Amino acid sequence: HGGAWMEETGAVCEWRCSNGDGPIDQYRVRFTVKGDIEDVTETIFFSDKKQKTTIQQIVVSQSEKDYDRMYLAVKMPLMFNNRDFVSERFHELERRDGKMLSVSRSIFDDNIKSMKESARERRVRGYMHCSGYLLIPKFDDASGESAVEIIHVAGVDLEGAFAIDLLARKASVARIKGVVNSNIDRFTNAIAEDERGRGSSIFDVF
C-alpha cells in the first residue's frame, strides 16, 4: 500500500474484503493529532466538507447535533461517472469517558435525492454500509500538549466499475492517506487545506 507515509505519520492501517475474496471495501485507520478534542470534534463532525471534488452537498439537521441526514455528490477521476450518497449520521458527544463518536450509514430518502434524479445527472449511487469516527482525548506528557487519537473505519461499495479490485485498492489507499494527511496538517502542523491541497482523495463522504 506504499507504507512510507504510514511510517512518517505513525498511522496504523488495515484493509479487507468483506466477502473474503474480491475488491477491498472495508478499512480502518488509527493515528494521533495534536489539539483539543472539542476543536477536533467540531471540525471532523460538523465543518463544511465542500472541496474541489464536491459537486453538491445538502445537510438536513434533525435534532441539534445528535443526528442529521446528508446528500453528497463527488467527482470521480478519468472516465468514471460521478458518485453520490444519501446517508444518516448519529453523534454521541457526551460520553462519560470523554470520547466522541460519530457513525453513519446509507439510507433511501427520495425527499433528499431520488435515484431517478441521480441517474438523470449521470451520478451512480454508492452505498455506505457503515462508517464512523471515534475520537479519544490524550495528553502528551513530554510536550504538555493535548492530543486526540482518531480511529476511522468505513465499509463502502462504490458500485459500477469501481468494484474492480485494483481500482478499489487504489481508491481505499488514497482515502486513508487523505484522511491522515489532511488532519495531521490541519491540527498538528496548523496548515490550511488551501495551502497544501487535498491530493487525490475523493472519499470525504465518510
Side-chain angles (χ1 to χ4, degrees):
H1 294 300
W5 64 272
M6 286 187 270
E7 293 182 9
E8 293 173 3
T9 60
V12 178
C13 309
E14 298 172 294
W15 291 265
R16 70 187 295 268
C17 168
S18 59
N19 296 323
D21 182 19
I24 297 296
D25 59 1
Q26 296 180 346
Y27 62 77
R28 178 179 186 269
V29 60
R30 177 194 294 257
F31 62 103
T32 301
V33 299
K34 293 181 181 178
D36 183 80
I37 192 164
E38 282 78 15
D39 293 337
V40 176
T41 298
E42 184 68 28
T43 300
I44 291 182
F45 292 2
F46 304 114
S47 65
D48 186 356
K49 292 187 175 183
K50 192 167 183 61
Q51 53 174 297
K52 291 180 180 179
T53 57
T54 302
I55 303 170
Q56 184 179 5
Q57 177 176 315
I58 302 171
V59 177
V60 183
S61 296
Q62 294 295 302
S63 56
E64 297 298 326
K65 290 188 173 181
D66 296 328
Y67 173 78
D68 60 38
R69 292 175 294 165
M70 175 183 287
Y71 172 78
L72 190 64
V74 293
K75 296 177 183 177
M76 297 293 282
L78 304 175
M79 76 294 292
F80 301 106
N81 287 335
N82 296 324
R83 261 51 174 184
D84 67 358
F85 295 81
V86 177
S87 61
E88 62 180 357
R89 303 187 301 169
F90 302 86
H91 310 294
E92 188 177 350
L93 307 175
E94 298 182 2
R95 294 167 58 104
R96 293 180 180 177
D97 55 11
K99 300 174 183 177
M100 304 293 186
L101 176 68
S102 178
V103 294
S104 57
R105 63 181 180 181
S106 280
I107 58 173
F108 299 94
D109 190 334
D110 286 350
N111 292 323
I112 297 178
K113 192 78 168 184
S114 70
M115 298 285 282
K116 290 183 178 179
E117 289 178 287
S118 292
R120 283 198 299 267
E121 296 168 353
R122 298 183 62 82
R123 298 175 186 176
V124 174
R125 181 64 52 85
Y127 189 81
M128 188 189 312
H129 299 285
C130 183
S131 174
Y133 280 94
L134 178 63
L135 308 183
I136 306 171
K138 300 286 184 178
F139 187 77
D140 188 337
D141 292 327
S143 65
E145 296 180 321
S146 297
V148 179
E149 183 177 42
I150 300 174
I151 300 175
H152 175 46
V153 298
V156 64
D157 188 346
L158 289 174
E159 302 292 344
F162 258 82
I164 299 174
D165 187 35
L166 178 61
L167 288 173
R169 287 176 184 273
K170 288 184 176 181
S172 61
V173 172
R175 163 60 184 166
I176 291 184
K177 189 174 181 180
V179 168
V180 172
N181 287 342
S182 64
N183 284 297
I184 287 179
D185 279 353
R186 181 185 294 118
F187 299 113
T188 300
N189 299 327
I191 299 175
E193 286 188 20
D194 55 2
E195 292 181 35
R196 178 178 185 189
R198 294 286 301 176
S200 61
S201 178
I202 59 175
F203 296 97
D204 262 359
V205 293
F206 313 141

